[in-house]
Amino acid sequence: MSFDVLQSKIKAKRNPTVAGLDARVEYIPPFILKKHTGKHGETLEAAARAVLEFDCGLIDALADVVPAVKPQSAYFEMLGWQGMKALEEVIAYAKEKDLFVIADIKRGDIGTTAAAYSEAWLGVTQVGSTACPVFDADCVTLNGYMGSDAINPFLKDCTSRDKCAFVLAKTSNPSSVELQDIVAGDRLVYTAMGDLIQRLGQGTAGKCGYQALGAVVGATHPSVLKELRYRLDKVFFLVPGYGAQGGTAADVRFAFDELGRGAIVNASRSIMCAWQKTGKDGADYQEAARTAAEKMRDEIKEYVTIL
């Protein structure tokens, strides 16, 4: 299963973190943006090309530090078809650098629509007799709050193509309590979702013991991380909310099992925008991102030992 691949990359680099690629135009160093607006004007084409250069530069700087990257599709979608082309190229470049790619798409539809999303991001599109891979990510994020109909089409591609998916369980945003913390019978809603994720993933565990369906559990809820790690012993966790959203290494340690496995922690702005704090106007964006990623890795190492 694909979580075996992710865990092996984490172990090789002794680093259970993923760098988010959430590039808004204002996150891009001015010299990169200016180069492309000079050629293409203040257009979506210029912005998309600048994002592509920025993200590929970040990948170059981080490829031997982090095991994975997580491009967020929204930031590419806002640049139209040019942005989606850039996203396709960013994913391909990351895979060329042997990074695990988590496409942060948070899809949550059902039926044939869900199947189409899955074919686009994890599977293939059939054109006559030819099966054409599209974005070909290793993993996606999903919103499963429409129930198993929103998850099963992706699970089918996960099991047949050695892919995996993270399903939202308890998210890091403050308003998650409005719905996810409501009592549902003898459980809270986020607990019921966690149980559903583990139940649907039964029979898909790989060598590392984790199923093809993982769960998103925010770093800003350490007590929930501890609770769900104990309850969902076969579920790999994606832990957002580190850094800019307030999650710390002390918080995320509860996401890992006794072998230091079973979780990967995300940081986006604190790595991508590290150059904004150095006073060099972005000329050192790669060095700044690498330093921030190494700092995050070393902070987590103080609490988590990967065996």
Side-chain angles (χ1 to χ4, degrees), residues 170-183:
K170 175 57 176 170
T171 56
S172 57
N173 58 301
S175 66
S176 67
V177 300
E178 296 171 359
L179 193 64
Q180 296 167 18
D181 287 35
I182 291 175
V183 176

Side-chain angles (χ1 to χ4, degrees), residues 108-171:
D109 217 318
I110 61 172
T112 56
T113 306
Y117 278 136
S118 183
E119 289 163 16
W121 290 97
L122 298 177
V124 296
T125 295
Q126 197 70 32
V127 183
S129 61
T130 304
C132 303
V134 188
F135 292 102
D136 199 25
D138 298 301
C139 181
V140 294
T141 58
L142 303 175
N143 185 340
Y145 277 96
M146 288 181 76
S148 59
D149 290 335
I151 300 172
N152 281 330
F154 289 89
L155 182 58
K156 180 180 178 181
D157 277 322
C158 286
T159 54
S160 65
R161 297 183 58 80
D162 197 23
K163 307 280 188 173
C164 55
F166 288 109
V167 184
L168 301 180
K170 175 57 176 170
T171 56

Side-chain angles (χ1 to χ4, degrees), residues 28-155:
I28 300 171
F31 79 93
I32 295 178
L33 185 60
K34 184 177 180 180
K35 178 171 70 173
H36 293 285
T37 55
K39 292 180 181 179
H40 304 284
E42 293 182 345
T43 62
L44 295 178
E45 176 71 16
R49 287 174 181 262
V51 166
L52 176 60
E53 179 177 338
F54 181 47
D55 281 352
C56 289
L58 289 170
I59 289 168
D60 286 338
L62 299 173
D64 64 338
V65 178
V66 300
V69 291
K70 184 173 70 65
Q72 164 53 261
S73 66
Y75 296 97
F76 295 88
E77 290 172 26
M78 67 187 292
L79 302 177
W81 68 263
Q82 298 97 325
M84 297 310 290
K85 183 176 185 295
L87 174 55
E88 183 180 7
E89 293 183 46
V90 165
I91 291 173
Y93 190 69
K95 295 182 75 170
E96 183 182 315
K97 294 291 185 176
D98 199 32
L99 290 167
F100 191 88
V101 178
I102 302 169
D104 195 354
I105 61 173
K106 296 187 179 72
R107 297 301 190 258
D109 217 318
I110 61 172
T112 56
T113 306
Y117 278 136
S118 183
E119 289 163 16
W121 290 97
L122 298 177
V124 296
T125 295
Q126 197 70 32
V127 183
S129 61
T130 304
C132 303
V134 188
F135 292 102
D136 199 25
D138 298 301
C139 181
V140 294
T141 58
L142 303 175
N143 185 340
Y145 277 96
M146 288 181 76
S148 59
D149 290 335
I151 300 172
N152 281 330
F154 289 89
L155 182 58

Side-chain angles (χ1 to χ4, degrees), residues 128-253:
S129 61
T130 304
C132 303
V134 188
F135 292 102
D136 199 25
D138 298 301
C139 181
V140 294
T141 58
L142 303 175
N143 185 340
Y145 277 96
M146 288 181 76
S148 59
D149 290 335
I151 300 172
N152 281 330
F154 289 89
L155 182 58
K156 180 180 178 181
D157 277 322
C158 286
T159 54
S160 65
R161 297 183 58 80
D162 197 23
K163 307 280 188 173
C164 55
F166 288 109
V167 184
L168 301 180
K170 175 57 176 170
T171 56
S172 57
N173 58 301
S175 66
S176 67
V177 300
E178 296 171 359
L179 193 64
Q180 296 167 18
D181 287 35
I182 291 175
V183 176
D186 60 347
R187 299 174 292 178
L188 299 180
V189 168
Y190 72 75
T191 309
M193 177 55 74
D195 291 345
L196 176 64
I197 292 166
Q198 182 149 278
R199 177 170 62 81
L200 291 177
Q202 285 180 352
T204 66
K207 294 179 180 179
C208 69
Y210 288 96
Q211 301 173 165
L213 289 179
V216 178
V217 186
T220 53
H221 308 291
S223 62
V224 175
L225 276 171
K226 187 174 184 179
E227 170 198 354
L228 292 183
R229 176 72 288 152
Y230 177 78
R231 186 181 187 103
L232 308 177
D233 60 325
K234 303 296 184 185
V235 176
F236 209 99
F237 288 178
L238 171 62
V239 185
Y242 192 97
Q245 293 185 53
T248 68
D251 296 330
V252 303
R253 72 186 189 275

Side-chain angles (χ1 to χ4, degrees), residues 217-292:
V217 186
T220 53
H221 308 291
S223 62
V224 175
L225 276 171
K226 187 174 184 179
E227 170 198 354
L228 292 183
R229 176 72 288 152
Y230 177 78
R231 186 181 187 103
L232 308 177
D233 60 325
K234 303 296 184 185
V235 176
F236 209 99
F237 288 178
L238 171 62
V239 185
Y242 192 97
Q245 293 185 53
T248 68
D251 296 330
V252 303
R253 72 186 189 275
F254 298 115
F256 298 87
D257 65 19
E258 64 277 5
L259 298 176
R261 300 176 183 173
I264 191 163
V265 183
N266 176 75
S268 299
R269 280 173 291 168
S270 59
I271 294 175
M272 296 182 65
C273 298
W275 65 268
Q276 296 177 349
K277 298 180 179 180
T278 66
K280 297 182 180 179
D281 208 27
D284 63 337
Y285 80 96
Q286 291 176 298
E287 178 185 349
R290 184 183 179 90
T291 298

